[in-house]
Amino acid sequence: LSHTLNLLLDRIAHFLQQRKDFLANAAHELRTPLAALRSTAEVALRSQRTTREYQDLLGTIVEESESLEVLVSQLLLLAETEADTERLMLTGEPVAMAELIERSCDMFVGVAESRAIDLRFQILHSATVKGNRHHLRQVINNLVDNSLKFTPAGGRVDITLDVDSSSENVCLSVRDT
């Protein structure tokens, strides 16, 4: 009986640790779009801009708000049921990676400028991949956000998109100093 209870307690401890890890990951995923929203708003408020520039900045804010909506919807879906894995399966759609990278760089250029970091991106070969646009954008935004967080002032972040023609694999590289 004691052995069975110990196994049960071990399983409960493991489950609680998984929950803790999940909450930490969810908080990180929410923090990135919130930081992008804030930095975009700060860039808009920093100086006078043309109507077009304000429209572009507000468009970025709307996009990041949509990204937050998607994250919250995903969290709600997970809360509804963890057992229904078919509902969580990703549906693939053609996604232009260059567009996602350009939008991410545009979104974080204000953060890079405020930290005196040179943010550059290079599209060696355009690529379209099958995947979930929101998830891919989330991954790219997290990579750029993390590289900016850990690059010292005066440093540089290089983002490169390439295609390996022999294997048809797409390579996204984010390098920082």
Side-chain angles (χ1 to χ4, degrees), residues 17-123:
Q17 183 61 45
Q18 284 181 320
R19 287 287 184 177
K20 181 180 174 185
D21 293 344
F22 172 78
L23 290 173
N25 288 334
H28 178 75
E29 293 298 325
L30 289 168
R31 198 174 332 151
T32 299
L34 286 172
L37 283 170
R38 182 181 179 144
S39 67
T40 302
E42 287 172 350
V43 167
L45 293 172
R46 198 173 296 145
S47 63
Q48 289 287 15
R49 302 193 180 278
T50 66
T51 301
R52 180 69 188 146
E53 289 173 324
Y54 280 122
Q55 288 172 338
D56 289 344
L57 290 169
L58 288 173
T60 300
I61 289 172
V62 167
E63 279 185 28
E64 285 308 310
S65 296
E66 290 171 354
S67 177
L68 280 172
E69 281 182 38
V70 168
L71 284 171
V72 170
S73 294
Q74 289 171 342
L75 288 172
L76 289 172
L77 181 62
L78 284 172
E80 288 173 7
T81 176
E82 292 177 351
D84 190 4
T85 57
E86 286 186 30
R87 287 178 50 194
L88 299 177
M89 295 202 48
L90 300 175
T91 55
E93 62 177 308
V95 179
M97 292 297 291
E99 176 188 337
L100 294 183
I101 294 166
E102 288 175 26
R103 286 180 176 261
S104 183
C105 288
D106 288 346
M107 181 177 65
F108 283 102
V109 71
V111 175
E113 286 175 3
S114 71
R115 295 181 181 166
I117 297 172
D118 186 16
L119 176 62
R120 298 181 185 190
F121 70 93
Q122 184 177 19
I123 310 298

Side-chain angles (χ1 to χ4, degrees), residues 109-163:
V109 71
V111 175
E113 286 175 3
S114 71
R115 295 181 181 166
I117 297 172
D118 186 16
L119 176 62
R120 298 181 185 190
F121 70 93
Q122 184 177 19
I123 310 298
L124 299 176
H125 293 95
S126 288
T128 300
V129 299
K130 185 177 179 182
N132 182 300
R133 174 179 299 281
H134 295 290
H135 291 170
L136 289 168
R137 192 168 127 204
Q138 207 175 320
V139 168
I140 293 168
N141 286 348
N142 283 346
L143 289 170
V144 174
D145 182 46
N146 286 338
S147 66
L148 291 172
K149 280 181 190 171
F150 298 104
T151 299
R156 183 169 150 179
V157 173
D158 290 304
I159 302 159
T160 307
L161 178 67
D162 200 2
V163 176

